[in-house]
Amino acid sequence: VTVALHPAIRAMLDRAQQAGIPALSAGTPADARAMMETARVALGDGVAAGSSTELTIPTRGGDITGTLLMRVA
Amino acid sequence: VAQSGCALLLPDYRLAPEYPFPAALHDAEDALVWAWAERARILGYAGPLIVAGDSAGGNLATVVARTVRDQVTLAGQVLIYPVTDTDLSTRSYTAYGDALGLTRADMHWFLNHYAAAEHWADPRIAPLRALDLAGLPPATVVLAEYDVLHDEGAAYASRLSAMGVAVTVRRYPGVTHGFIRLHGAVDTAAQAVADVAADLRRFCATP
């Protein structure tokens, strides 16, 4: 079933176009990451997870970090 | 986390183009194997493990579900509008590839940064082209109607099902790529979050 674009999403796309926000592919990877981060902040945080713990994960390319989110009982 | 009750591990894998394919895949594989081995220490119990991701993360999720299937037992995979192929000429690319957030040009740009073109047919980049998808964990595949990735996601769900994998396809009308991040503003996205949380609980409850 095809339906019309959700009005809230239509409005967001229209605002982005009117503001002249470029496509993700219009700049550098750093630009794209910055745009994604800006959008993430603008959307706000979700429901609080409870606890957040930074972990170190060993990989063949060296250690990477990981964030463990858990709901508090 | 709040709705499913599951703990969530977010590995900070290396990004292209600084670290091109297969660096991110290797990190994801190693993180998954590590999580499987260490989950009892981390969580305090050896609970079931599910792999999940959206968009490019959905690609990594289902690829690692296959590449480490001999090392890790997964209870499920949740693939939210995943990248499953490198064919940018599908119906959904043709219909929605110009102006609805994620465009064909964006995807070409992402792929070019992720991997050299000679790797694009590699099933570790295009899992839809993998010959053997049997034995993969049950899957939830989330599709957005107005998304260039809609058709390849639907095709991948069909391939999984044909290979005997239990698949739940959740197709959301009237929304675009990335919509689930709008769960605070779009009712369809809030419903999708609730649906995925229900699937996560179901995966965890299935012996």
Side-chain angles (χ1 to χ4, degrees):
Chain A
V1 177
T2 296
V3 305
L5 196 58
H6 192 288
I9 294 177
R10 176 81 270 166
M12 288 181 197
L13 290 170
D14 289 345
R15 283 197 301 273
Q17 185 176 28
Q18 289 162 9
I21 295 176
L24 284 172
S25 56
T28 66
D31 295 333
R33 290 170 192 159
M35 289 175 64
M36 292 297 290
E37 178 61 13
T38 299
R40 189 192 67 75
V41 171
L43 290 171
D45 293 331
V47 178
S51 71
S52 175
T53 307
E54 295 298 310
L55 301 172
T56 299
I57 302 172
T59 77
R60 76 197 81 171
D63 288 351
I64 62 173
T65 58
T67 304
L68 179 68
L69 304 178
M70 296 180 71
R71 187 171 69 175
V72 174
Chain B
V1 173
Q3 293 191 38
S4 70
C6 297
L8 176 64
L9 177 62
L10 300 163
D12 192 13
Y13 58 82
R14 290 170 293 169
L15 301 176
E18 295 89 340
Y19 299 97
F21 172 82
L25 176 61
H26 285 170
D27 286 354
E29 289 173 341
D30 294 347
L32 188 59
V33 171
W34 179 85
W36 174 249
E38 298 291 329
R39 69 196 191 286
R41 179 180 65 81
I42 297 169
L43 301 175
Y45 67 101
L49 188 62
I50 297 163
V51 68
D54 75 308
S55 197
N59 174 279
L60 285 175
T62 197
V63 170
V64 298
R66 187 180 77 254
T67 58
V68 302
R69 62 183 161 189
D70 294 335
Q71 301 173 67
V72 173
T73 301
L74 290 170
Q77 53 178 325
V78 176
L79 314 176
I80 299 172
Y81 28 78
V83 178
T84 68
D85 200 9
T86 51
D87 176 5
L88 308 188
S89 64
T90 64
R91 181 208 60 88
S92 52
Y93 267 105
T94 301
Y96 312 124
D98 291 332
L100 288 173
L102 182 66
T103 67
R104 180 192 291 108
D106 290 336
M107 281 303 301
H108 193 264
W109 187 81
F110 292 142
L111 284 166
N112 266 330
H113 282 305
Y114 185 53
E118 61 260 32
H119 295 305
W120 286 14
D122 189 321
R124 294 175 302 163
I125 293 177
L128 184 59
R129 304 183 192 206
L131 296 177
D132 182 12
L133 298 173
L136 292 188
T140 287
V141 181
V142 171
L143 305 174
E145 179 184 3
Y146 292 102
D147 182 1
V148 292
L149 303 182
H150 175 280
D151 286 14
E152 64 193 69
Y156 189 65
S158 295
R159 287 262 354 256
L160 286 171
S161 183
M163 291 274 184
V165 177
V167 179
T168 300
V169 176
R170 296 194 177 277
R171 181 180 183 273
Y172 295 92
V175 294
T176 54
H177 189 79
F179 81 98
I180 208 163
R181 295 168 189 251
L182 306 175
H183 55 82
V186 175
D187 52 359
T188 309
Q191 182 60 54
V193 170
D195 293 340
V196 168
D199 289 345
L200 288 168
R201 292 193 299 271
R202 175 168 52 86
F203 288 150
C204 289
T206 303

